[in-house]
Amino acid sequence: DGGITQSPKYLFRKEGQNVTLSCEQNLNHDAMYWYRQDPGQGLRLIYYSQIVNDFQKGDIAEGYSVSREKKESFPLTVTSAQKNPTAFYLCASSSQGSNEKLFFGSGTQLSVL
Amino acid sequence: GNSVTQMEGPVTLSEEAFLTINCTYTATGYPSLFWYVQYPGEGLQLLLKATKADDKGSNKGFEATYRKETTSFHLEKGSVQVSDSAVYFCALGSPGGSYIPTFGRGTSLIVHP
């Protein structure tokens, strides 16, 4: 079955540590997105990518980095510069941009030790 | 710019009650409109969609009609179940090549037996 897979489901970060969240899709979608969700809050866009080897900052990119070396993969690194990383992170993809529906992964809960 | 406004939650209902979750939007052009649902600890999944004025999206007993004259896309269900308890997000796409969808803040629905 086609879909979008995020891993791990739960992740813990120590102070000063960088961590990477995985996002893989086998839907052959060009566009991929990373969102952050805090309890009781909506979705905030971190980064998005329209095509391989290209990505743009969203509303809250500071303290995060991404890469898009392959069409099916869009990993997110939460760097030590992100001082409040505890949140639920969602990856999504879309075939033709935002006027088509987004497919979401099941999310990664990141917590700080 | 584009924006989506949803009613504040939580919305608390008894089983078999009628549900309305209000959503209004501001947009240029003729975007597609979406309702997504998020169950606890999971990603979002598409509930229904409408692509043009007067279109009605429907799925699992939920309905929403694209009202261009009132710029609204209210979600309704005639008889809710406990299993409908979730967070509901209204969203709009953007035609013309934009890759950034716009999400509302989400409305939590709690259905009691």
Side-chain angles (χ1 to χ4, degrees), chain A residues 13 15 40 48 50 61 63-64 78 80-82 95-96 102 112:
Chain A
R13 193 191 88 167
E15 290 288 335
Y48 68 103
Q50 302 176 30
Y64 300 97
V78 183
S80 57
Q82 173 50 246
S95 62
Q96 296 177 17
L102 267 61
V112 176

Side-chain angles (χ1 to χ4, degrees), chain A residues 38-77:
Chain A
D38 293 280
Q41 302 295 311
L43 304 178
R44 291 189 288 171
L45 183 64
I46 305 172
Y47 270 98
Y48 68 103
S49 170
Q50 302 176 30
I51 198 168
V52 174
N53 292 322
D54 187 44
F55 48 83
Q56 284 78 42
K57 293 181 179 180
D59 301 319
I60 56 164
E62 186 174 350
Y64 300 97
S65 66
V66 294
S67 63
R68 187 84 187 276
E69 298 176 0
K70 299 185 295 183
K71 188 175 187 178
E72 57 270 23
S73 180
F74 192 42
L76 173 73
T77 297

Side-chain angles (χ1 to χ4, degrees), chain A residues 9 33 37 98-99 102 104-105, chain B residues 32 36 38 41 93-94 98-99:
Chain A
K9 181 69 174 175
Y33 309 80
Q37 186 176 28
S98 67
N99 218 35
L102 267 61
F104 282 84
Chain B
S32 292
Y36 290 86
Q38 183 182 32
S94 182
S98 168
Y99 280 77

Side-chain angles (χ1 to χ4, degrees), chain A residues 9 30-31 33 35 37 40-43 45 48-50 88 90 95-107, chain B residues 30-32 34 36 38 41-46 49 87 89 92-95 97-106:
Chain A
K9 181 69 174 175
D30 287 313
Y33 309 80
Y35 290 92
Q37 186 176 28
Q41 302 295 311
L43 304 178
L45 183 64
Y48 68 103
S49 170
Q50 302 176 30
F88 191 56
L90 287 163
S95 62
Q96 296 177 17
S98 67
N99 218 35
E100 297 296 321
K101 73 174 184 178
L102 267 61
F103 290 77
F104 282 84
S106 56
Chain B
Y30 302 94
S32 292
F34 309 85
Y36 290 86
Q38 183 182 32
E42 297 182 9
L44 280 68
Q45 53 186 278
L46 181 70
K49 169 185 175 181
V87 180
F89 291 89
L92 65 91
S94 182
S98 168
Y99 280 77
I100 308 176
T102 303
F103 284 87
R105 290 175 59 86

Side-chain angles (χ1 to χ4, degrees), chain B residues 42-65:
Chain B
E42 297 182 9
L44 280 68
Q45 53 186 278
L46 181 70
L47 181 60
L48 54 84
K49 169 185 175 181
T51 58
K52 60 184 187 295
D54 299 325
D55 262 4
K56 178 185 284 188
S58 61
N59 186 25
K60 300 180 181 179
F62 291 90
E63 294 183 339
T65 301

